[in-house]
Amino acid sequence: MVSYILTLVCILVAVAFTTLMERSVLGYIQLRKGPNKVGYMGLLQPFSDGLKLFFKEQTYPYYSNFIIYYFSPVFMLMLSFSLWVLFPYMMNVYNFSFGVLFFLCCTGMGVYGVLLSGWSSNSNYALLGGLRSVAQTISYEVSMALILICMLVFIFSFNFVDFMKYQEYVWFIFFSFPLFFCWFSSCLAETNRSPFDFAEGESELVSGFNVEYSSGGFAFIFLSEYMNIIFMSLLCCVAFLGCDVYSLMFFFKLTFMVFAFIWVRGTLPRYRYDKLMYLTWKMFLPLSLNYLIFFSGVAMMIV
């Protein structure tokens, strides 16, 4: 239990510095300086932001469904915390035999947090943002699950630790290079990141499902989003990039994947909504299904 709490503390610190990294990288992409005044090279900026968020006045809409409105950010944060139980340690934290199923359950439940926070705010903008986000998340979950199943064909197990054993000599990205990009795009869509950030399309929806949240509620939604980003980056490294959890290289790869999330945000414009749906149902889904049939056939031939 202590090690799990320690993991969570480290994750929260990582989220703080991920926000700093995002602001700095986006600054340099847009040819300006990022935050560089608070502390040495802006290192204390995330902490000042966090303090500011938690000390702001907590406002809530008068006609909102208050209990659901109040608890849905907490629910989202708890889901993100529970995802981190899956970090593939060999000892100390829980060793899941069915970690992949637990991951799919948690990502499936994530939809409810967004939907409830959008609906309970009793605001048209929040509801529209919530509905768009839910439609997008559910659509991309299908492709994501299929891509993950393609990887499971290689290891014949639901345990994330087994990825480490089977990628000792060669990474799985070399077997399934196109799938890696489909997976990465699905991760972007799943975490509501640009260019798939329709949940918070500022031009048409003010700020999406979290528009009525301020102070702690907004901070919880924000933390949850960034924890999911780091976890998805971790999963990219586990499933495709070697899963060598005990080497320092693993964490460099993890940092690079987080950087890739930010890089994409700074580079690509937002998609059109119908194109977003077209991408998953008519491109990722057939591709991942074909790969699944192909990998299953190869596995049967070998066996």
Side-chain angles (χ1 to χ4, degrees), residues 120-177:
S120 62
S121 301
N122 208 358
S123 152
N124 287 343
Y125 289 123
L127 182 62
L128 280 171
L131 289 177
R132 291 168 80 162
S133 181
V134 166
Q136 169 183 329
T137 309
I138 290 174
S139 302
Y140 275 87
E141 243 165 45
V142 179
S143 309
M144 207 164 97
L146 277 169
I147 294 168
L148 205 53
I149 292 167
C150 288
M151 295 297 107
L152 297 185
V153 170
F154 288 146
I155 65 168
F156 271 77
S157 158
F158 287 114
N159 194 343
F160 280 122
V161 177
D162 287 341
F163 277 106
M164 186 158 51
K165 300 171 192 166
Y166 283 89
Q167 291 186 84
E168 202 169 328
Y169 298 109
V170 63
W171 296 355
F172 287 163
I173 189 173
F174 296 120
F175 299 135
S176 48
F177 196 60

Side-chain angles (χ1 to χ4, degrees), residues 58-64 66 69 212 214:
Q58 173 84 52
T59 59
Y60 63 92
Y62 192 64
Y63 290 110
S64 65
F66 184 71
Y69 169 85
E212 300 291 355
S214 65

